[in-house]
Amino acid sequence: MKVVKTACGLCHLGCGMNIHVDGDRAVKVEGMAEHPLNRGMLCPKGLASIDYVYHPDRLKTPLRKVGERWVEVSWKEALDLIASRLVEAKKLHGARSIAGIIGMPILLGGHSTVSLVRRFFDVLGSPNVFSPESLCYRNQIIAYILTLGKFCVAEPENSNCIVLWGSNPHHSRPPWARRIEEGLSRGAKLIVIDPRRTLFAKKASLHLKPRPGSDSALALGMLNVIIQEGLFDREFVEKWTVGFNKLAEHVKTYTLDLVEELTWVPAAEIREAARLFATVKPACIVQGVNALDQTAGGFYTARSIAILQAITGNIDVPGGFIRTSRVHLSPIRLPEKLEGKPLGADQYPLFYECWGRLFGEGQALLLADAILEGNPYPIKAVVASASNPVLTWPNSRKVKRALEAVDFLAVMDIFMTETAELADLVLPASTFLERMELCDYYGTVNGIPYVMLRKEAVKPLWDSWPDWKFYLKLAERMGFKEYFPWSDIADYIDYVLKPSGLTLKLLLEEKPEGVPYGKANYGEYLKTGFKTPTGKIEIYSETLEKMGYSPLPIHLEPSESPRNSPELAKQYPLILVTGSRTLWFLHSQLRNLDKLRSREPEPTVELNPATAKKFQVSDGQWVVVETLRGSIKAKAKITEDIIPEVVNIPHGWRESNVNILTNDKPETHVVGYPALKSYLCRIHTSNTQ
Ligand SMILES: Nc1nc2c(c(=O)[nH]1)N[C@H]1C(S)=C(S)[C@@H](COP(=O)(O)OP(=O)(O)OC[C@H]3O[C@@H](n4cnc5c(=O)[nH]c(N)nc54)[C@H](O)[C@@H]3O)O[C@H]1N2
Ligand SMILES: Nc1nc2c(c(=O)[nH]1)N[C@H]1C(S)=C(S)[C@@H](COP(=O)(O)OP(=O)(O)OC[C@H]3O[C@@H](n4cnc5c(=O)[nH]c(N)nc54)[C@H](O)[C@@H]3O)O[C@H]1N2
Ligand code: SF4
Ligand SMILES: [Mo]
């Protein structure tokens, strides 16, 4: 019996876990006490890891579709087939006609896998790699960088006033719930901004309940109060920011009367929240990972959130908004080999690149049109890894039509998903317990400067391969060996680690629990200023202005909203929030594990008792929820914990795919995200059982 110290891979946080291995079988999982993020705790998902890895329904061999049937093939045959189809597509339509899709489990699974995949597409010459960053997280990264010159993360455990804005960490980030609790136990004030009464809302000093999609107005209202009442840090603002006076003029137009009308939050509550946040030091804002971004004004909301913390003097201070050092790794990307820029680089240039910093992805919402209409040029082949876009991307029916229409689709996954079912070739992936990976993301995701190795706790089961192996072998098969000289992942990680001063041996043998790396950069600006063109915090952004965007944060209405489309709102009177997380599942994953499924056996729609009464719905009844795009059924969950005008449906259910209801129209200014949190919908009970 041995104990392998590794990082959980069942969400992007990477909690430390101990895997007890008997012979070649993992038999027990427990939290790793030494890990600074979870300190021994694991959520129910992590605790279900063993059932996940040994699930009988896992894909066991590569499968090729022949007519309507799946036929088992060897990895060699699979690689030959993919290589020949990619070479053909490149010859006939150019490298850019081949798209790569990287899903969440790989994107934030650890540096080594995602960087190998990206390098593969660089060498192939295709800029068209897509990931959930087209609807998640990248928005706030870009907004913070444009404002502060860097990406910062809140530090709630050391804060005296925590604003939890559009996030429910008890379900989506359990280790963060602990960090916030730590702040609260020291007496910190808590402000929750959420149309739902979450666990933290029940404990909060103040709970603001905005209309979904109106946060860009709420933030401007708070800025208005803070500036009008002189509650900002005058010395810091004068010395370290540009454009404050323009902002001061601008926010006068966002009177509290107007903001109340826009957000449905009483003016007195907005004033109280602004005063509390600005006067208690240090203070920080914990912004949800996607909830505020996926709406028209989401980019400006993130800018305002950075500015709120800046003008109150909370940047780079303990308990405020800070940057942590990142591990220095060997550069892997080869952008000079790309044939052009990806889909969306013209419409959303900052999503692709900012001040020479290459984010380097296409906007995935444009992929379906490229496939279906050849607009702006055709995409003919798609290789998707760890992604289930038929369930997780907006406008599922269109996504499905598009993936059915490509000449060649290969999908690498753990299970036969709705997306894999459409493929010409399905590849069996190994789980996080069967592969090695460098987890260097604790600083960016959690503000904890730490690095550890995910280990191969058990050998890859059946004929599954880790994603890195597939890409390394495919590169070899395609004749790219000179760019992929590494024999395996250990060899690769050793290379990647060179500039860091760390080694594979250290992380594998001497420090299997991981090592602290760098530090929280308190007071950083005093030494380096801010890495923007002006060297200061850019409240007014000339970069945005030159590109035709608003240089100051503004409020934008969702395209579907009672204000923007009142006629539509008469037919579809409710606002639909999609994708609020529940602890037991990860997007489209884990519903096949009994332990987790028993916690939430069916897809639900949350509605307020007043709404239920109005539409004559009883608790537990199946109801039809309908938008302009289509309808699905979900089981009514009647609760006071949601405001009456809003209904909430989680995403990721095969049986009730909420993305049938959503729209793939890019909506968020600057980054082109969809508006997943604010559609108009209606509910009824006819024809339901
Ligand atoms: N268990 C579990 N954890 C996960 C995931 C998962 O699938 N399952 N996914 C991971 C990923 S990739 C991501 S991106 C994160 C997402 O993490 P977050 O974006 O932090 O999402 P949630 O924690 O669900 O919290 C969203 C909250 O915002 C509220 N909300 C919705 N719309 C609005 C709005 O317009 N304004 C305001 N103020 N609030 C609003 C909802 O009511 C909900 O309580 O979660 C991560 N963690
Ligand atoms: N309506 C609505 N839709 C949403 C959201 C929302 O809030 N509302 N949230 C969006 C967000 S923020 C995100 S990040 C996306 C996430 O969406 P996706 O990126 O699609 O993420 P998952 O559904 O978690 O995982 C996709 C697949 O990866 C497989 N997988 C797991 N581990 C591995 C592995 O190691 N290798 C391989 N090859 N496969 C693996 C799983 O079995 C699963 O089928 O969903 C988005 N979709
Ligand atoms: S929060 Fe849960 S799923 Fe996420 S890394 Fe930690 S234990 Fe794993
Ligand atoms: Mo996400």
Side-chain angles (χ1 to χ4, degrees), residues 8-15 17 38 41-47 172-175:
C8 179
L10 290 180
C11 86
H12 62 303
L13 297 171
C15 293
M17 54 168 44
N38 57 311
M41 190 192 84
L42 289 179
C43 84
K45 295 187 290 305
L47 289 171
S172 62
R173 290 188 265 182

Side-chain angles (χ1 to χ4, degrees), residues 161-170 180 184 189-210 215 218 222 265 269-270 273 276-277 284-286 292 641:
C161 179
I162 305 162
V163 181
L164 189 55
W165 203 330
S167 187
N168 185 8
H170 284 105
I180 293 169
L184 298 186
K189 301 280 184 206
L190 177 65
I191 303 169
V192 171
I193 307 179
D194 196 311
R196 293 164 67 237
R197 188 167 57 179
T198 58
L199 278 174
F200 273 128
K202 289 174 186 161
K203 294 184 171 186
S205 315
L206 263 174
H207 176 199
L208 274 48
K209 300 182 271 295
D215 301 80
L218 183 61
M222 287 174 68
V265 181
E269 288 182 19
I270 302 171
L276 187 63
F277 170 71
C284 65
I285 302 176
V286 179
L292 306 181
D641 292 344

Side-chain angles (χ1 to χ4, degrees), residues 4-42:
V4 180
K5 292 192 175 297
T6 194
C8 179
L10 290 180
C11 86
H12 62 303
L13 297 171
C15 293
M17 54 168 44
N18 296 333
I19 301 289
H20 296 246
V21 181
D22 188 357
D24 57 6
R25 197 176 167 92
V27 290
K28 187 178 145 192
V29 52
E30 64 191 10
M32 189 201 296
E34 315 87 293
H35 201 284
L37 176 65
N38 57 311
R39 300 188 195 160
M41 190 192 84
L42 289 179

Side-chain angles (χ1 to χ4, degrees), residues 218-360:
L218 183 61
L220 286 157
M222 287 174 68
L223 282 166
N224 186 355
V225 174
I226 292 168
I227 296 173
Q228 299 282 319
E229 298 190 3
L231 303 178
F232 53 94
D233 183 335
R234 203 169 293 271
E235 200 188 322
F236 180 86
V237 163
E238 275 170 16
K239 215 163 162 188
W240 293 106
T241 67
V242 291
F244 179 79
N245 291 338
K246 286 181 182 154
L247 178 74
E249 261 321 292
H250 170 69
V251 295
K252 280 184 192 159
T253 55
Y254 290 89
T255 61
L256 288 200
D257 285 346
L258 173 66
V259 176
E260 172 172 331
E261 202 187 309
L262 290 170
T263 62
W264 303 346
V265 181
E269 288 182 19
I270 302 171
R271 189 172 291 113
E272 199 182 340
R275 286 179 181 162
L276 187 63
F277 170 71
T279 51
V280 178
K281 312 271 175 188
C284 65
I285 302 176
V286 179
Q287 179 178 352
V289 183
N290 72 9
L292 306 181
D293 303 10
Q294 296 166 339
T295 188
F299 178 77
Y300 300 113
T301 308
R303 284 252 296 142
S304 288
I305 283 177
I307 294 170
L308 276 164
Q309 293 172 101
I311 67 169
T312 51
N314 282 304
I315 305 293
D316 290 359
V317 300
F321 207 44
I322 55 162
R323 187 185 78 87
T324 52
S325 317
R326 299 194 64 180
V327 193
H328 296 293
L329 302 172
S330 305
I332 296 299
R333 297 294 307 271
L334 295 167
E336 64 280 8
K337 296 193 72 65
L338 292 173
E339 290 177 15
K341 289 183 178 177
L343 296 176
D346 292 340
Q347 298 95 315
Y348 308 102
L350 283 165
F351 182 68
Y352 182 66
E353 183 181 3
C354 173
W355 301 329
R357 212 164 154 158
L358 194 69
F359 302 129

Side-chain angles (χ1 to χ4, degrees), residues 464-479:
S464 72
W465 279 9
D467 296 84
W468 65 258
K469 183 170 174 184
F470 164 61
Y471 275 97
L472 216 51
K473 295 284 179 199
L474 183 62
E476 206 173 299
R477 178 66 188 70
M478 300 277 295

